[in-house]
Amino acid sequence: MQVEVNGRYLAQQLTGQQRYAREIVARLGDRMTVIEPSQAAVGIRGHLWEQVQLPRKMRSSVLWSPSTTGPLSVRNQVVTIHDCAYFDQADCFTKAFAAWYQFLVPRLARRVQRVITVSHFSKSRIVELCNIPEEKIDVIYSGVDSVFHPYPEQQIAQLRNELNLPERYLLCVGSIEPRKNLARLLQAWEIASPQLPGLSLVLAGASGRVFNSVGFDRGPEGVHMAGYVAEQQLPLLYAGAELFVYPSLYEGFGLPVIESMASGVPVVTSSVTSLPEVAGTAAHLVDPYDIESIADGILRIANNRALQKTMSEQGLVHARSYCWAETAQQTWTSLNHAIES
Ligand SMILES: CC(=O)N[C@H]1[C@@H](O[C@@H]2[C@H](O)[C@H](OP(=O)(O)O)[C@@H](O)[C@H](O)[C@H]2O)O[C@H](CO)[C@@H](O)[C@@H]1O
Ligand SMILES: O=c1ccn([C@@H]2O[C@H](COP(=O)(O)OP(=O)(O)O)[C@@H](O)[C@H]2O)c(=O)[nH]1
């Protein structure tokens, strides 16, 4: 049995949802046919393609939509809904994006055969906001690519040269958008940085059409905005960091947390939404709405080499429980469950 895949993700920049789709398709490719849109199918054109052209291109009986949206006319479908941020954090997105997702996703969730999601936190929000029974949803954790691991200093130094990075840095990776809480991170950095001589903060990620403003254009002094970092460079960027700081307000999973743990870097992240579930006991958790709490988390770890080493070891062990091959296997089981029903 071949499953057809909604390939709208192929026309989008690689962030969390697109990485998820790509990693699973790479492992189940022999059993899947990806229906590809044209490269121009982004934004509204992408949604039109998904609703109108994609159903016409389908041949087999089951469609998997891996990135939260899918065609409403196709009932024989499994959709992976990553989060409900367009409801719970609607202000972080443009009005049009939030309104369309609020209209589309609950209807889609009710129509399709099964729903997959990436954390128990997201499952609870989908049950409530999309009004579907919890038995219809499979929770399947995302994985981490084997390219994320500790690297020798020589290779990291080469990347620092290429990207013109500071010698010693704390890192945050994520789109430049309000949900990632960068404005509070910068305020916390202002409090913490005088006690961290020689350390800079590096922010990696791009802004996007669908997000509201984060409230600043340039990072203040001591903050290096690296822009979108190509995936070939990302493993070294993580591995070179002394600490990963990710005080996000809302995640469905939070791939960068596991990517940095797999890179051997200690993590400070938020105590809300999916992040405590995904980070387990291997990260230091802070209140993302409290600037002092973020600054305190940074200082506790950045100033303590012994704690950094312990957290790095704990993170490396914890990250091993997230594996794309396992994610793909469980996804196939869920798809088969839908096919059989
Ligand atoms: C970085 C970020 O916050 N991503 C969110 C966002 O995803 C964007 C969305 O899927 C866009 O889709 P569309 O073509 O329908 O406008 C993509 O273009 C962007 O590349 C994505 O970043 O919203 C998702 C839904 O809440 C969320 O899961 C994802 O983390
Ligand atoms: O400059 C960047 C910023 C992010 N990413 C990748 O984009 C994904 C972001 O994951 P997240 O779960 O934060 O997804 P989002 O909420 O941004 O969609 C991660 O796999 C990152 O490695 C990347 O390749 N380059």
Side-chain angles (χ1 to χ4, degrees):
M1 173 79 196
Q2 281 275 318
V3 167
E4 285 178 303
V5 180
N6 174 351
R8 192 167 77 89
Y9 69 92
L10 292 170
Q12 299 170 330
Q13 184 169 57
L14 184 100
T15 59
Q17 305 197 76
Q18 295 77 13
R19 187 184 281 281
Y20 165 89
R22 203 186 59 175
E23 297 281 359
I24 295 175
V25 170
R27 285 161 181 87
L28 298 177
D30 54 338
R31 289 165 267 179
M32 292 181 154
T33 307
V34 182
I35 305 179
E36 288 189 36
S38 75
Q39 281 305 306
V42 291
I44 292 176
R45 275 184 286 184
H47 288 285
L48 281 172
W49 175 84
E50 186 172 64
Q51 297 300 325
V52 181
Q53 291 185 33
L54 171 60
R56 290 190 193 147
K57 290 187 172 191
M58 283 185 64
R59 291 219 167 80
S60 74
S61 55
V62 174
L63 178 72
W64 176 45
S65 288
S67 304
T68 304
T69 64
L72 279 171
S73 60
V74 179
R75 282 185 185 272
N76 229 344
Q77 181 178 182
V78 175
V79 61
T80 299
I81 299 178
H82 289 256
D83 56 63
C84 291
Y86 35 87
F87 278 111
D88 289 335
Q89 293 282 332
D91 288 349
C92 294
F93 300 96
T94 61
K95 279 206 168 69
F97 179 91
W100 171 234
Y101 273 60
Q102 285 178 15
F103 171 84
L104 175 69
V105 181
R107 283 166 181 79
L108 186 64
R110 289 195 286 270
R111 271 179 163 257
V112 297
Q113 297 275 351
R114 289 202 75 66
V115 171
I116 296 173
T117 191
V118 291
S119 63
H120 290 280
F121 165 73
S122 283
K123 176 174 174 171
S124 68
R125 300 311 295 138
I126 294 165
V127 168
E128 185 177 327
L129 293 162
C130 299
N131 196 18
I132 59 170
E134 54 178 353
E135 305 75 58
K136 191 175 176 178
I137 308 177
D138 293 318
V139 174
I140 303 175
Y141 285 138
S142 294
V144 61
D145 199 296
S146 58
V147 295
F148 296 105
H149 58 76
Y151 282 85
E153 171 53 29
Q154 203 187 354
Q155 277 177 268
I156 295 169
Q158 207 175 322
L159 178 86
R160 277 202 303 266
N161 272 339
E162 279 169 31
L163 296 186
N164 198 17
L165 292 175
E167 184 81 14
R168 296 179 55 215
Y169 59 92
L170 270 60
L171 177 67
C172 180
V173 171
S175 301
I176 307 298
E177 52 134 333
R179 194 160 58 91
K180 304 295 176 183
N181 206 18
L182 299 173
R184 283 197 193 83
L185 173 59
L186 292 186
Q187 285 173 278
W189 177 246
E190 259 178 46
I191 298 172
S193 59
Q195 295 173 63
L196 298 170
L199 268 176
S200 301
L201 174 64
V202 173
L203 306 181
S207 50
R209 286 171 300 104
V210 303
F211 309 120
N212 275 338
S213 159
V214 283
F216 63 88
D217 302 325
R218 301 189 298 121
E221 210 177 314
V223 178
H224 182 98
M225 307 274 288
Y228 187 83
V229 174
E231 56 174 320
Q232 297 78 354
Q233 297 177 312
L234 204 60
L236 285 166
L237 180 71
Y238 276 119
E242 293 195 11
L243 178 63
F244 187 72
V245 201
Y246 194 65
S248 176
L249 298 174
Y250 192 102
E251 293 298 319
F253 184 82
L255 281 174
V257 166
I258 301 300
E259 291 171 348
S260 39
M261 285 186 184
S263 307
V265 178
V267 174
V268 170
T269 189
S270 302
S271 58
V272 298
T273 69
S274 66
L275 291 163
E277 178 185 343
V278 169
T281 53
H284 179 84
L285 302 183
V286 297
D287 175 354
Y289 293 93
D290 179 355
I291 293 155
E292 294 287 343
S293 171
I294 303 171
D296 179 66
I298 291 173
L299 285 170
R300 263 172 206 250
I301 295 148
N303 269 331
N304 186 335
R305 287 273 175 201
L307 185 56
Q308 281 175 28
K309 189 165 179 293
T310 310
M311 287 183 71
S312 159
E313 285 160 5
Q314 287 172 341
L316 283 165
V317 172
H318 185 66
R320 280 189 217 126
S321 50
Y322 296 93
C323 162
W324 285 120
E326 183 61 26
T327 310
Q329 182 55 43
Q330 291 180 24
T331 303
W332 187 248
T333 304
S334 177
L335 290 168
N336 273 291
H337 191 161
I339 292 166
E340 280 154 20
S341 66

